Amino acid sequence: MKENVLLERLKNGLLNENPTFVLMLGMCPTLAVTTSIINGIGMGLSTTVVLVLSNLLISLFRKVIPDGVRIPAFIVIVASLVTVVQFLMQAYLNDLYASLGVYIPLIVVNCIILGRAESYASKNPVLPSIFDGLGMGLGFTFGLSCLGAIREILGAGQLFGIQILPLADRANGVAGFTPITIFIMAPGAFLVLAFLVALMGIVRKKMAAKGKPLKEPSGCMTGDCAGCGFSASCQGKSKDDKGGETA
Amino acid sequence: MKALILIAIGSALVNNVVLSQFLGICPFLSVSKNAKTAAGMGGAVIFVIGIASLVTSVIYKFLMVPLGIEYLQTIVFILVIAALVQFVEMFLKKKMPPLYESLGVFLPLITTNCAVLGVALTNVTKSYGILESVVNGLATAFGFFIAIVLMAGIREHIEGNDVPKTFQGTAIVLVTACLMSIAFMGFSGMI
């Protein structure tokens, strides 16, 4: 029984509520760092570490933290963990740290982390919370590596930095692959994500027809605050059709 | 002076915060359905980022560097920004009701906007002084304003277009963002 809950949390994060494909959360790092599969995996794993530890701590302290100040408390916990991860990466994985740059400290504002803290870890025991964080983190890592792989193959013909598609050499008349460089530049990120969203729309429709509808995306992408941990502090005032009316 | 202008152009156009650095994607996609609200959001972001880069760089220079606690920057900045936004909201509500009417709804949203924290951290990474930080902050925010208003204008036109069914909604917005990003790449030779 106990193990079922843990496995269920893992599966939930990896498939049912995959943060990248299903919930569409944390889109800033998703777009920014997926220029190669290595960057995607690095970003995903650093987020996973922060997510597991923050879920662990928040679940431990869930009965001590007063309800009124829980969001600031969560932010302090997450920011401290991010700082620790940042220093560890700077010390041991300096190349990766240099290529991810400002996006490592920005893990603090990744809505997946506060979203899980708010919707799961602050209400559940320690062990399931750890596995929830692990599942979500690995799901995010999986999403980032998929996007990273697509962009690296199309944009450079490489995977893990190894040339897998032989390059064309026009001058010597060698046929081969011409890298579509735009895919590893900024516009490519938007384009790949656009196709992903369109594809997931089709999958969603198929699953609904089978009677197993997927969870709706809940991120800021849809203008819906439910998935965001900060929704409690901003009272979900983002609905833009109401803009200007609410005083 | 020349250095400041270069920073301004660089942050507003060349390295546009949304289209080339991918910060603040959430409001860019979700609050860009019509030009008026988009302009409101853009205005609020300029306001908050301007104040936030001033306050964070002052705190960094006069508090954190003398105490030798630069390593706490992420924690300090996110708390300062969160508190600042709350404070600005209360101040505007009390003292400047007309401005609050137009910006108020967007203010709480901005705490979570990674662009604000991103700018504060970039200012430190590039070791900008206080004046440079404010210029960089305002220019970055202006870049956000340009991007979100243009996007809203385009989206108003997309409404009447015949978009393939699969791409309706977020997907076509992302394709539009891709094209805008290509256009902004044209500025890359400027500096």
Side-chain angles (χ1 to χ4, degrees), chain A residues 8 32 54 75 99 102 113 121 137 148 151 153 161 166 170 193 200 213 220:
Chain A
E8 190 271 326
S54 75
I75 296 179
S99 63
V102 76
I113 294 180
R151 287 180 67 188
I153 291 174
R170 290 267 165 77
L193 191 65
M200 281 315 290
C220 351

Side-chain angles (χ1 to χ4, degrees), chain B residues 30-46:
Chain B
S30 63
V31 198
S32 60
K33 281 182 200 127
N34 74 67
K36 211 175 144 220
T37 24
M41 181 72 195
V45 167
I46 295 182

